[in-house]
Amino acid sequence: MSVLGQRPDRTVITYGTFDLFHYGHVRLLERLSRLGSRLIVACSTDEFNAKKGKASVVPFESRAKVLEACRYVDRVIPETNWAQKRDDIRRYDVDLFAMGDDWAGKFDDLRDLCDILYLPRTEGVSTTEIKRLIGASCVQRRVAAAGR
Ligand code: C2G
């Protein structure tokens, strides 16, 4: 492993929905980008999210475009199922698989293929919370409008 400037010469991969892209996502990608020379992000498709029981506000195409525009990200691929991780790690010659620690231990079975790392989540921000706040402000505005 040669050192390129500050970043080790290795490929890092992570997976996620990245809906309503926020500082928590940015901070994760920034930290991952320092752990290797290439960061691949697998972005969950809308169909896969439906299987996960999740409905994202922002459609896949737009979420993928936002990730591609992020300077920490080198490549975006679609995540369409749970089982693709092993193939992705082999196909992209991945050295490090990393996720936020809300997934701690969930992907240890991949340790035979590459290093595994779970990074502390960023506290105080989440897509769920943003959705809740938007919902709350919509209700407030409707109530205010009704009261006029
Ligand atoms: N994250 C974080 N801090 C936050 C919110 C999210 O570090 N405040 C991290 C999560 O831990 C995850 C990544 O950002 O590693 C993307 O989070 P989600 O979009 O919620 O990902 P999820 O829908 O859980 O999809 O196959 C795995 C799945 O695709 C993960």
Side-chain angles (χ1 to χ4, degrees), residues 14-19 22 24-25 28 31 42 44 48-49 52 54 79 82 85 98-103 107 119-127:
T14 194
Y15 293 73
T17 301
F18 298 99
D19 189 22
H22 55 67
H25 297 141
L28 176 80
R31 286 176 289 163
S44 309
F48 180 47
N49 271 332
K52 283 198 253 175
K54 267 182 118 156
E79 181 187 23
W82 289 110
K85 293 182 175 72
M99 297 287 294
D101 61 7
D102 47 326
W103 291 91
F107 301 113
L119 289 175
R121 275 172 66 91
T122 299
E123 296 309 320
V125 59
S126 73
T127 302

PDB file of all heavy atoms in Angstrom, residues 14-19 22 24-25 28 31 42 44 48-49 52 54 79 82 85 98-103 107 119-127, ligand 1:
ATOM      1  N   THR A  14     -19.280   2.323   0.008  1.00  0.00           N
ATOM      2  CA  THR A  14     -20.328   2.450   1.018  1.00  0.00           C
ATOM      3  C   THR A  14     -21.684   2.400   0.331  1.00  0.00           C
ATOM      4  O   THR A  14     -21.750   2.535  -0.898  1.00  0.00           O
ATOM      5  CB  THR A  14     -20.171   3.731   1.858  1.00  0.00           C
ATOM      6  OG1 THR A  14     -21.008   3.644   3.012  1.00  0.00           O
ATOM      7  CG2 THR A  14     -20.521   4.978   1.059  1.00  0.00           C
ATOM      8  N   TYR A  15     -22.742   2.163   1.104  1.00  0.00           N
ATOM      9  CA  TYR A  15     -24.086   1.977   0.577  1.00  0.00           C
ATOM     10  C   TYR A  15     -25.067   2.859   1.341  1.00  0.00           C
ATOM     11  O   TYR A  15     -24.899   3.077   2.551  1.00  0.00           O
ATOM     12  CB  TYR A  15     -24.512   0.510   0.712  1.00  0.00           C
ATOM     13  CG  TYR A  15     -23.714  -0.438  -0.149  1.00  0.00           C
ATOM     14  CD1 TYR A  15     -22.407  -0.753   0.175  1.00  0.00           C
ATOM     15  CD2 TYR A  15     -24.268  -0.990  -1.292  1.00  0.00           C
ATOM     16  CE1 TYR A  15     -21.651  -1.592  -0.644  1.00  0.00           C
ATOM     17  CE2 TYR A  15     -23.538  -1.842  -2.115  1.00  0.00           C
ATOM     18  CZ  TYR A  15     -22.221  -2.128  -1.773  1.00  0.00           C
ATOM     19  OH  TYR A  15     -21.485  -2.958  -2.578  1.00  0.00           O
ATOM     20  N   GLY A  16     -26.099   3.357   0.632  1.00  0.00           N
ATOM     21  CA  GLY A  16     -27.096   4.138   1.337  1.00  0.00           C
ATOM     22  C   GLY A  16     -28.154   4.720   0.422  1.00  0.00           C
ATOM     23  O   GLY A  16     -28.046   4.659  -0.813  1.00  0.00           O
ATOM     24  N   THR A  17     -29.175   5.297   1.048  1.00  0.00           N
ATOM     25  CA  THR A  17     -30.260   5.946   0.307  1.00  0.00           C
ATOM     26  C   THR A  17     -29.903   7.405   0.032  1.00  0.00           C
ATOM     27  O   THR A  17     -30.154   7.929  -1.071  1.00  0.00           O
ATOM     28  CB  THR A  17     -31.557   5.883   1.150  1.00  0.00           C
ATOM     29  OG1 THR A  17     -31.862   4.528   1.399  1.00  0.00           O
ATOM     30  CG2 THR A  17     -32.713   6.542   0.418  1.00  0.00           C
ATOM     31  N   PHE A  18     -29.309   8.066   0.958  1.00  0.00           N
ATOM     32  CA  PHE A  18     -28.883   9.466   0.846  1.00  0.00           C
ATOM     33  C   PHE A  18     -30.033  10.356   0.391  1.00  0.00           C
ATOM     34  O   PHE A  18     -29.891  11.164  -0.529  1.00  0.00           O
ATOM     35  CB  PHE A  18     -27.652   9.558  -0.072  1.00  0.00           C
ATOM     36  CG  PHE A  18     -26.471   8.799   0.450  1.00  0.00           C
ATOM     37  CD1 PHE A  18     -26.146   7.522  -0.006  1.00  0.00           C
ATOM     38  CD2 PHE A  18     -25.666   9.353   1.450  1.00  0.00           C
ATOM     39  CE1 PHE A  18     -25.061   6.805   0.505  1.00  0.00           C
ATOM     40  CE2 PHE A  18     -24.572   8.646   1.970  1.00  0.00           C
ATOM     41  CZ  PHE A  18     -24.280   7.371   1.499  1.00  0.00           C
ATOM     42  N   ASP A  19     -31.181  10.195   1.027  1.00  0.00           N
ATOM     43  CA  ASP A  19     -32.361  10.995   0.699  1.00  0.00           C
ATOM     44  C   ASP A  19     -32.276  12.332   1.426  1.00  0.00           C
ATOM     45  O   ASP A  19     -31.809  12.393   2.562  1.00  0.00           O
ATOM     46  CB  ASP A  19     -33.617  10.223   1.145  1.00  0.00           C
ATOM     47  CG  ASP A  19     -34.904  10.869   0.641  1.00  0.00           C
ATOM     48  OD1 ASP A  19     -34.844  11.611  -0.357  1.00  0.00           O
ATOM     49  OD2 ASP A  19     -35.958  10.618   1.269  1.00  0.00           O
ATOM     50  N   HIS A  22     -27.898  15.579   3.518  1.00  0.00           N
ATOM     51  CA  HIS A  22     -27.661  16.514   4.610  1.00  0.00           C
ATOM     52  C   HIS A  22     -26.247  16.395   5.148  1.00  0.00           C
ATOM     53  O   HIS A  22     -25.470  15.552   4.703  1.00  0.00           O
ATOM     54  CB  HIS A  22     -28.679  16.289   5.734  1.00  0.00           C
ATOM     55  CG  HIS A  22     -28.731  14.895   6.251  1.00  0.00           C
ATOM     56  ND1 HIS A  22     -27.677  14.322   6.953  1.00  0.00           N
ATOM     57  CD2 HIS A  22     -29.699  13.944   6.176  1.00  0.00           C
ATOM     58  CE1 HIS A  22     -28.003  13.099   7.310  1.00  0.00           C
ATOM     59  NE2 HIS A  22     -29.229  12.826   6.830  1.00  0.00           N
ATOM     60  N   GLY A  24     -24.959  15.113   7.734  1.00  0.00           N
ATOM     61  CA  GLY A  24     -24.543  13.796   8.224  1.00  0.00           C
ATOM     62  C   GLY A  24     -23.982  12.949   7.091  1.00  0.00           C
ATOM     63  O   GLY A  24     -22.954  12.274   7.244  1.00  0.00           O
ATOM     64  N   HIS A  25     -24.625  13.017   5.928  1.00  0.00           N
ATOM     65  CA  HIS A  25     -24.147  12.281   4.747  1.00  0.00           C
ATOM     66  C   HIS A  25     -22.804  12.852   4.288  1.00  0.00           C
ATOM     67  O   HIS A  25     -21.854  12.104   4.005  1.00  0.00           O
ATOM     68  CB  HIS A  25     -25.162  12.399   3.615  1.00  0.00           C
ATOM     69  CG  HIS A  25     -26.500  11.797   3.906  1.00  0.00           C
ATOM     70  ND1 HIS A  25     -27.690  12.391   3.493  1.00  0.00           N
ATOM     71  CD2 HIS A  25     -26.862  10.682   4.585  1.00  0.00           C
ATOM     72  CE1 HIS A  25     -28.709  11.641   3.887  1.00  0.00           C
ATOM     73  NE2 HIS A  25     -28.235  10.596   4.547  1.00  0.00           N
ATOM     74  N   LEU A  28     -19.971  11.844   6.582  1.00  0.00           N
ATOM     75  CA  LEU A  28     -19.578  10.441   6.392  1.00  0.00           C
ATOM     76  C   LEU A  28     -18.709  10.304   5.148  1.00  0.00           C
ATOM     77  O   LEU A  28     -17.621   9.706   5.188  1.00  0.00           O
ATOM     78  CB  LEU A  28     -20.810   9.550   6.238  1.00  0.00           C
ATOM     79  CG  LEU A  28     -20.485   8.091   5.937  1.00  0.00           C
ATOM     80  CD1 LEU A  28     -20.109   7.354   7.220  1.00  0.00           C
ATOM     81  CD2 LEU A  28     -21.617   7.391   5.212  1.00  0.00           C
ATOM     82  N   ARG A  31     -15.204  11.705   5.586  1.00  0.00           N
ATOM     83  CA  ARG A  31     -14.313  10.827   6.364  1.00  0.00           C
ATOM     84  C   ARG A  31     -13.893   9.613   5.532  1.00  0.00           C
ATOM     85  O   ARG A  31     -12.729   9.200   5.557  1.00  0.00           O
ATOM     86  CB  ARG A  31     -15.016  10.373   7.647  1.00  0.00           C
ATOM     87  CG  ARG A  31     -15.113  11.458   8.705  1.00  0.00           C
ATOM     88  CD  ARG A  31     -15.899  11.028   9.915  1.00  0.00           C
ATOM     89  NE  ARG A  31     -17.317  10.900   9.625  1.00  0.00           N
ATOM     90  CZ  ARG A  31     -18.168  10.235  10.413  1.00  0.00           C
ATOM     91  NH1 ARG A  31     -17.737   9.633  11.502  1.00  0.00           N
ATOM     92  NH2 ARG A  31     -19.449  10.175  10.104  1.00  0.00           N
ATOM     93  N   ALA A  42     -22.736   3.244  -3.446  1.00  0.00           N
ATOM     94  CA  ALA A  42     -23.866   2.517  -4.027  1.00  0.00           C
ATOM     95  C   ALA A  42     -25.146   3.143  -3.476  1.00  0.00           C
ATOM     96  O   ALA A  42     -25.376   3.135  -2.270  1.00  0.00           O
ATOM     97  CB  ALA A  42     -23.792   1.047  -3.671  1.00  0.00           C
ATOM     98  N   SER A  44     -29.155   3.441  -3.172  1.00  0.00           N
ATOM     99  CA  SER A  44     -30.323   2.550  -3.244  1.00  0.00           C
ATOM    100  C   SER A  44     -31.343   3.060  -4.254  1.00  0.00           C
ATOM    101  O   SER A  44     -31.751   4.218  -4.193  1.00  0.00           O
ATOM    102  CB  SER A  44     -31.005   2.456  -1.878  1.00  0.00           C
ATOM    103  OG  SER A  44     -30.087   2.145  -0.866  1.00  0.00           O
ATOM    104  N   PHE A  48     -35.542  -0.748  -4.752  1.00  0.00           N
ATOM    105  CA  PHE A  48     -34.896  -1.442  -3.625  1.00  0.00           C
ATOM    106  C   PHE A  48     -35.359  -0.844  -2.301  1.00  0.00           C
ATOM    107  O   PHE A  48     -35.641  -1.556  -1.336  1.00  0.00           O
ATOM    108  CB  PHE A  48     -33.376  -1.362  -3.743  1.00  0.00           C
ATOM    109  CG  PHE A  48     -32.633  -2.041  -2.625  1.00  0.00           C
ATOM    110  CD1 PHE A  48     -32.997  -3.320  -2.208  1.00  0.00           C
ATOM    111  CD2 PHE A  48     -31.589  -1.415  -1.972  1.00  0.00           C
ATOM    112  CE1 PHE A  48     -32.324  -3.951  -1.163  1.00  0.00           C
ATOM    113  CE2 PHE A  48     -30.907  -2.043  -0.930  1.00  0.00           C
ATOM    114  CZ  PHE A  48     -31.283  -3.308  -0.523  1.00  0.00           C
ATOM    115  N   ASN A  49     -35.515   0.470  -2.253  1.00  0.00           N
ATOM    116  CA  ASN A  49     -36.004   1.105  -1.028  1.00  0.00           C
ATOM    117  C   ASN A  49     -37.392   0.602  -0.667  1.00  0.00           C
ATOM    118  O   ASN A  49     -37.694   0.380   0.499  1.00  0.00           O
ATOM    119  CB  ASN A  49     -36.022   2.632  -1.179  1.00  0.00           C
ATOM    120  CG  ASN A  49     -34.705   3.227  -0.751  1.00  0.00           C
ATOM    121  OD1 ASN A  49     -34.015   2.663   0.086  1.00  0.00           O
ATOM    122  ND2 ASN A  49     -34.355   4.347  -1.340  1.00  0.00           N
ATOM    123  N   LYS A  52     -37.006  -2.350   1.111  1.00  0.00           N
ATOM    124  CA  LYS A  52     -36.503  -2.049   2.458  1.00  0.00           C
ATOM    125  C   LYS A  52     -37.597  -1.431   3.328  1.00  0.00           C
ATOM    126  O   LYS A  52     -37.387  -1.114   4.492  1.00  0.00           O
ATOM    127  CB  LYS A  52     -35.364  -1.021   2.381  1.00  0.00           C
ATOM    128  CG  LYS A  52     -34.026  -1.510   1.943  1.00  0.00           C
ATOM    129  CD  LYS A  52     -32.933  -0.491   2.337  1.00  0.00           C
ATOM    130  CE  LYS A  52     -32.381   0.283   1.186  1.00  0.00           C
ATOM    131  NZ  LYS A  52     -31.415   1.338   1.576  1.00  0.00           N
ATOM    132  N   LYS A  54     -38.811   1.485   2.761  1.00  0.00           N
ATOM    133  CA  LYS A  54     -38.493   2.919   2.841  1.00  0.00           C
ATOM    134  C   LYS A  54     -38.999   3.617   1.594  1.00  0.00           C
ATOM    135  O   LYS A  54     -38.866   3.090   0.499  1.00  0.00           O
ATOM    136  CB  LYS A  54     -36.961   3.117   2.833  1.00  0.00           C
ATOM    137  CG  LYS A  54     -36.317   3.185   4.168  1.00  0.00           C
ATOM    138  CD  LYS A  54     -34.798   3.442   4.051  1.00  0.00           C
ATOM    139  CE  LYS A  54     -34.414   4.726   4.689  1.00  0.00           C
ATOM    140  NZ  LYS A  54     -33.017   4.834   5.126  1.00  0.00           N
ATOM    141  N   GLU A  79     -27.708   0.611  -6.085  1.00  0.00           N
ATOM    142  CA  GLU A  79     -27.882  -0.536  -5.173  1.00  0.00           C
ATOM    143  C   GLU A  79     -29.294  -1.057  -5.411  1.00  0.00           C
ATOM    144  O   GLU A  79     -30.268  -0.360  -5.132  1.00  0.00           O
ATOM    145  CB  GLU A  79     -27.714  -0.133  -3.705  1.00  0.00           C
ATOM    146  CG  GLU A  79     -27.865  -1.332  -2.765  1.00  0.00           C
ATOM    147  CD  GLU A  79     -27.879  -0.963  -1.294  1.00  0.00           C
ATOM    148  OE1 GLU A  79     -28.205   0.200  -0.964  1.00  0.00           O
ATOM    149  OE2 GLU A  79     -27.575  -1.847  -0.465  1.00  0.00           O
ATOM    150  N   TRP A  82     -29.860  -6.650  -1.612  1.00  0.00           N
ATOM    151  CA  TRP A  82     -28.967  -6.811  -0.449  1.00  0.00           C
ATOM    152  C   TRP A  82     -27.728  -7.612  -0.808  1.00  0.00           C
ATOM    153  O   TRP A  82     -26.648  -7.401  -0.265  1.00  0.00           O
ATOM    154  CB  TRP A  82     -29.700  -7.520   0.697  1.00  0.00           C
ATOM    155  CG  TRP A  82     -30.742  -6.683   1.368  1.00  0.00           C
ATOM    156  CD1 TRP A  82     -32.102  -6.857   1.297  1.00  0.00           C
ATOM    157  CD2 TRP A  82     -30.535  -5.558   2.226  1.00  0.00           C
ATOM    158  NE1 TRP A  82     -32.744  -5.910   2.037  1.00  0.00           N
ATOM    159  CE2 TRP A  82     -31.799  -5.090   2.612  1.00  0.00           C
ATOM    160  CE3 TRP A  82     -29.395  -4.901   2.678  1.00  0.00           C
ATOM    161  CZ2 TRP A  82     -31.973  -3.989   3.447  1.00  0.00           C
ATOM    162  CZ3 TRP A  82     -29.550  -3.804   3.516  1.00  0.00           C
ATOM    163  CH2 TRP A  82     -30.831  -3.358   3.892  1.00  0.00           C
ATOM    164  N   LYS A  85     -23.402  -6.851  -2.631  1.00  0.00           N
ATOM    165  CA  LYS A  85     -22.176  -6.323  -2.016  1.00  0.00           C
ATOM    166  C   LYS A  85     -20.949  -7.187  -2.333  1.00  0.00           C
ATOM    167  O   LYS A  85     -19.893  -6.651  -2.672  1.00  0.00           O
ATOM    168  CB  LYS A  85     -22.365  -6.161  -0.502  1.00  0.00           C
ATOM    169  CG  LYS A  85     -23.392  -5.075  -0.150  1.00  0.00           C
ATOM    170  CD  LYS A  85     -23.551  -4.890   1.334  1.00  0.00           C
ATOM    171  CE  LYS A  85     -24.481  -3.722   1.670  1.00  0.00           C
ATOM    172  NZ  LYS A  85     -25.912  -4.042   1.355  1.00  0.00           N
ATOM    173  N   ALA A  98     -17.315   0.335   4.208  1.00  0.00           N
ATOM    174  CA  ALA A  98     -17.574   1.142   5.408  1.00  0.00           C
ATOM    175  C   ALA A  98     -18.997   1.682   5.419  1.00  0.00           C
ATOM    176  O   ALA A  98     -19.550   2.005   4.362  1.00  0.00           O
ATOM    177  CB  ALA A  98     -16.585   2.303   5.488  1.00  0.00           C
ATOM    178  N   MET A  99     -19.575   1.759   6.621  1.00  0.00           N
ATOM    179  CA  MET A  99     -20.932   2.278   6.808  1.00  0.00           C
ATOM    180  C   MET A  99     -20.971   3.073   8.105  1.00  0.00           C
ATOM    181  O   MET A  99     -20.060   2.965   8.938  1.00  0.00           O
ATOM    182  CB  MET A  99     -21.933   1.110   6.961  1.00  0.00           C
ATOM    183  CG  MET A  99     -22.068   0.202   5.782  1.00  0.00           C
ATOM    184  SD  MET A  99     -22.962   0.943   4.404  1.00  0.00           S
ATOM    185  CE  MET A  99     -24.600   1.135   5.107  1.00  0.00           C
ATOM    186  N   GLY A 100     -22.059   3.811   8.322  1.00  0.00           N
ATOM    187  CA  GLY A 100     -22.288   4.433   9.623  1.00  0.00           C
ATOM    188  C   GLY A 100     -22.600   3.356  10.657  1.00  0.00           C
ATOM    189  O   GLY A 100     -23.055   2.257  10.304  1.00  0.00           O
ATOM    190  N   ASP A 101     -22.346   3.658  11.948  1.00  0.00           N
ATOM    191  CA  ASP A 101     -22.471   2.601  12.969  1.00  0.00           C
ATOM    192  C   ASP A 101     -23.900   2.208  13.317  1.00  0.00           C
ATOM    193  O   ASP A 101     -24.104   1.338  14.170  1.00  0.00           O
ATOM    194  CB  ASP A 101     -21.661   2.962  14.222  1.00  0.00           C
ATOM    195  CG  ASP A 101     -22.140   4.250  14.878  1.00  0.00           C
ATOM    196  OD1 ASP A 101     -23.187   4.799  14.451  1.00  0.00           O
ATOM    197  OD2 ASP A 101     -21.475   4.711  15.827  1.00  0.00           O
ATOM    198  N   ASP A 102     -24.886   2.784  12.649  1.00  0.00           N
ATOM    199  CA  ASP A 102     -26.240   2.248  12.817  1.00  0.00           C
ATOM    200  C   ASP A 102     -26.323   0.877  12.139  1.00  0.00           C
ATOM    201  O   ASP A 102     -27.274   0.132  12.365  1.00  0.00           O
ATOM    202  CB  ASP A 102     -27.319   3.192  12.265  1.00  0.00           C
ATOM    203  CG  ASP A 102     -27.015   3.727  10.871  1.00  0.00           C
ATOM    204  OD1 ASP A 102     -25.823   3.950  10.570  1.00  0.00           O
ATOM    205  OD2 ASP A 102     -27.944   3.936  10.072  1.00  0.00           O
ATOM    206  N   TRP A 103     -25.287   0.536  11.365  1.00  0.00           N
ATOM    207  CA  TRP A 103     -25.201  -0.777  10.713  1.00  0.00           C
ATOM    208  C   TRP A 103     -24.113  -1.640  11.362  1.00  0.00           C
ATOM    209  O   TRP A 103     -23.756  -2.679  10.816  1.00  0.00           O
ATOM    210  CB  TRP A 103     -24.911  -0.599   9.226  1.00  0.00           C
ATOM    211  CG  TRP A 103     -26.061  -0.011   8.489  1.00  0.00           C
ATOM    212  CD1 TRP A 103     -26.309   1.312   8.257  1.00  0.00           C
ATOM    213  CD2 TRP A 103     -27.177  -0.713   7.948  1.00  0.00           C
ATOM    214  NE1 TRP A 103     -27.490   1.474   7.593  1.00  0.00           N
ATOM    215  CE2 TRP A 103     -28.047   0.243   7.386  1.00  0.00           C
ATOM    216  CE3 TRP A 103     -27.525  -2.064   7.887  1.00  0.00           C
ATOM    217  CZ2 TRP A 103     -29.243  -0.104   6.761  1.00  0.00           C
ATOM    218  CZ3 TRP A 103     -28.712  -2.408   7.256  1.00  0.00           C
ATOM    219  CH2 TRP A 103     -29.559  -1.438   6.708  1.00  0.00           C
ATOM    220  N   PHE A 107     -22.551  -6.259   8.464  1.00  0.00           N
ATOM    221  CA  PHE A 107     -21.898  -6.710   7.232  1.00  0.00           C
ATOM    222  C   PHE A 107     -20.540  -7.356   7.510  1.00  0.00           C
ATOM    223  O   PHE A 107     -19.673  -7.412   6.641  1.00  0.00           O
ATOM    224  CB  PHE A 107     -21.768  -5.529   6.269  1.00  0.00           C
ATOM    225  CG  PHE A 107     -23.096  -4.906   5.915  1.00  0.00           C
ATOM    226  CD1 PHE A 107     -23.424  -3.622   6.332  1.00  0.00           C
ATOM    227  CD2 PHE A 107     -24.041  -5.613   5.194  1.00  0.00           C
ATOM    228  CE1 PHE A 107     -24.658  -3.053   6.035  1.00  0.00           C
ATOM    229  CE2 PHE A 107     -25.281  -5.059   4.875  1.00  0.00           C
ATOM    230  CZ  PHE A 107     -25.594  -3.781   5.302  1.00  0.00           C
ATOM    231  N   LEU A 119     -18.344   3.719  11.044  1.00  0.00           N
ATOM    232  CA  LEU A 119     -17.973   5.038  11.568  1.00  0.00           C
ATOM    233  C   LEU A 119     -19.123   5.615  12.379  1.00  0.00           C
ATOM    234  O   LEU A 119     -20.287   5.417  12.037  1.00  0.00           O
ATOM    235  CB  LEU A 119     -17.649   5.982  10.409  1.00  0.00           C
ATOM    236  CG  LEU A 119     -16.352   5.704   9.642  1.00  0.00           C
ATOM    237  CD1 LEU A 119     -16.251   6.647   8.449  1.00  0.00           C
ATOM    238  CD2 LEU A 119     -15.157   5.890  10.554  1.00  0.00           C
ATOM    239  N   PRO A 120     -18.802   6.360  13.453  1.00  0.00           N
ATOM    240  CA  PRO A 120     -19.877   6.969  14.254  1.00  0.00           C
ATOM    241  C   PRO A 120     -20.755   7.870  13.382  1.00  0.00           C
ATOM    242  O   PRO A 120     -20.252   8.643  12.584  1.00  0.00           O
ATOM    243  CB  PRO A 120     -19.125   7.795  15.298  1.00  0.00           C
ATOM    244  CG  PRO A 120     -17.741   7.256  15.314  1.00  0.00           C
ATOM    245  CD  PRO A 120     -17.475   6.702  13.940  1.00  0.00           C
ATOM    246  N   ARG A 121     -22.072   7.713  13.517  1.00  0.00           N
ATOM    247  CA  ARG A 121     -23.010   8.598  12.817  1.00  0.00           C
ATOM    248  C   ARG A 121     -22.860  10.024  13.324  1.00  0.00           C
ATOM    249  O   ARG A 121     -22.428  10.240  14.453  1.00  0.00           O
ATOM    250  CB  ARG A 121     -24.452   8.174  13.119  1.00  0.00           C
ATOM    251  CG  ARG A 121     -25.032   7.096  12.261  1.00  0.00           C
ATOM    252  CD  ARG A 121     -26.373   6.681  12.811  1.00  0.00           C
ATOM    253  NE  ARG A 121     -27.380   7.744  12.737  1.00  0.00           N
ATOM    254  CZ  ARG A 121     -28.194   7.913  11.699  1.00  0.00           C
ATOM    255  NH1 ARG A 121     -28.088   7.115  10.655  1.00  0.00           N
ATOM    256  NH2 ARG A 121     -29.095   8.863  11.693  1.00  0.00           N
ATOM    257  N   THR A 122     -23.275  10.991  12.526  1.00  0.00           N
ATOM    258  CA  THR A 122     -23.305  12.389  12.972  1.00  0.00           C
ATOM    259  C   THR A 122     -24.595  12.618  13.732  1.00  0.00           C
ATOM    260  O   THR A 122     -25.681  12.386  13.203  1.00  0.00           O
ATOM    261  CB  THR A 122     -23.209  13.332  11.761  1.00  0.00           C
ATOM    262  OG1 THR A 122     -21.972  13.081  11.098  1.00  0.00           O
ATOM    263  CG2 THR A 122     -23.271  14.793  12.188  1.00  0.00           C
ATOM    264  N   GLU A 123     -24.481  13.015  14.979  1.00  0.00           N
ATOM    265  CA  GLU A 123     -25.655  13.232  15.828  1.00  0.00           C
ATOM    266  C   GLU A 123     -26.402  14.493  15.418  1.00  0.00           C
ATOM    267  O   GLU A 123     -25.837  15.386  14.790  1.00  0.00           O
ATOM    268  CB  GLU A 123     -25.213  13.363  17.298  1.00  0.00           C
ATOM    269  CG  GLU A 123     -24.583  12.100  17.863  1.00  0.00           C
ATOM    270  CD  GLU A 123     -25.474  10.862  17.612  1.00  0.00           C
ATOM    271  OE1 GLU A 123     -26.700  10.986  17.732  1.00  0.00           O
ATOM    272  OE2 GLU A 123     -24.937   9.811  17.204  1.00  0.00           O
ATOM    273  N   GLY A 124     -27.733  14.527  15.709  1.00  0.00           N
ATOM    274  CA  GLY A 124     -28.479  15.776  15.549  1.00  0.00           C
ATOM    275  C   GLY A 124     -28.998  16.052  14.149  1.00  0.00           C
ATOM    276  O   GLY A 124     -29.581  17.107  13.900  1.00  0.00           O
ATOM    277  N   VAL A 125     -28.772  15.150  13.211  1.00  0.00           N
ATOM    278  CA  VAL A 125     -29.316  15.355  11.855  1.00  0.00           C
ATOM    279  C   VAL A 125     -29.677  14.003  11.261  1.00  0.00           C
ATOM    280  O   VAL A 125     -28.916  13.049  11.390  1.00  0.00           O
ATOM    281  CB  VAL A 125     -28.305  16.108  10.941  1.00  0.00           C
ATOM    282  CG1 VAL A 125     -26.999  15.342  10.813  1.00  0.00           C
ATOM    283  CG2 VAL A 125     -28.919  16.429   9.591  1.00  0.00           C
ATOM    284  N   SER A 126     -30.862  13.920  10.654  1.00  0.00           N
ATOM    285  CA  SER A 126     -31.251  12.695   9.963  1.00  0.00           C
ATOM    286  C   SER A 126     -32.357  13.016   8.963  1.00  0.00           C
ATOM    287  O   SER A 126     -33.093  13.998   9.128  1.00  0.00           O
ATOM    288  CB  SER A 126     -31.764  11.648  10.957  1.00  0.00           C
ATOM    289  OG  SER A 126     -33.052  12.015  11.419  1.00  0.00           O
ATOM    290  N   THR A 127     -32.476  12.187   7.948  1.00  0.00           N
ATOM    291  CA  THR A 127     -33.524  12.387   6.944  1.00  0.00           C
ATOM    292  C   THR A 127     -34.893  12.280   7.601  1.00  0.00           C
ATOM    293  O   THR A 127     -35.803  13.069   7.315  1.00  0.00           O
ATOM    294  CB  THR A 127     -33.364  11.342   5.821  1.00  0.00           C
ATOM    295  OG1 THR A 127     -32.059  11.487   5.259  1.00  0.00           O
ATOM    296  CG2 THR A 127     -34.400  11.511   4.746  1.00  0.00           C
TER     297      THR A 127
HETATM  298  N1  C2G B   1     -25.432   8.671   8.306  1.00  0.00           N
HETATM  299  C1  C2G B   1     -24.566   9.300   9.220  1.00  0.00           C
HETATM  300  N2  C2G B   1     -25.047  10.291  10.039  1.00  0.00           N
HETATM  301  C2  C2G B   1     -26.346  10.677   9.969  1.00  0.00           C
HETATM  302  C3  C2G B   1     -27.220  10.057   9.032  1.00  0.00           C
HETATM  303  C4  C2G B   1     -26.732   9.055   8.212  1.00  0.00           C
HETATM  304  O1  C2G B   1     -23.369   8.991   9.299  1.00  0.00           O
HETATM  305  N3  C2G B   1     -26.755  11.674  10.788  1.00  0.00           N
HETATM  306  C5  C2G B   1     -24.889   7.595   7.458  1.00  0.00           C
HETATM  307  C6  C2G B   1     -25.579   6.248   7.703  1.00  0.00           C
HETATM  308  O2  C2G B   1     -25.013   5.629   8.827  1.00  0.00           O
HETATM  309  C7  C2G B   1     -25.288   5.504   6.396  1.00  0.00           C
HETATM  310  C8  C2G B   1     -25.274   6.653   5.366  1.00  0.00           C
HETATM  311  O3  C2G B   1     -25.179   7.880   6.104  1.00  0.00           O
HETATM  312  O4  C2G B   1     -24.011   4.886   6.444  1.00  0.00           O
HETATM  313  C9  C2G B   1     -26.518   6.669   4.496  1.00  0.00           C
HETATM  314  O5  C2G B   1     -27.629   6.644   5.366  1.00  0.00           O
HETATM  315  P1  C2G B   1     -29.059   6.233   4.772  1.00  0.00           P
HETATM  316  O6  C2G B   1     -29.301   6.989   3.539  1.00  0.00           O
HETATM  317  O7  C2G B   1     -30.046   6.309   5.884  1.00  0.00           O
HETATM  318  O8  C2G B   1     -28.780   4.712   4.384  1.00  0.00           O
HETATM  319  P2  C2G B   1     -29.772   3.460   4.526  1.00  0.00           P
HETATM  320  O9  C2G B   1     -31.076   3.814   3.958  1.00  0.00           O
HETATM  321  O10 C2G B   1     -29.687   3.011   5.923  1.00  0.00           O
HETATM  322  O11 C2G B   1     -29.148   2.403   3.499  1.00  0.00           O
HETATM  323  O12 C2G B   1     -27.297  -1.678   2.028  1.00  0.00           O
HETATM  324  C10 C2G B   1     -27.278  -0.708   3.058  1.00  0.00           C
HETATM  325  C11 C2G B   1     -28.345   0.312   2.856  1.00  0.00           C
HETATM  326  O13 C2G B   1     -28.333   0.804   1.559  1.00  0.00           O
HETATM  327  C12 C2G B   1     -28.185   1.480   3.836  1.00  0.00           C
END
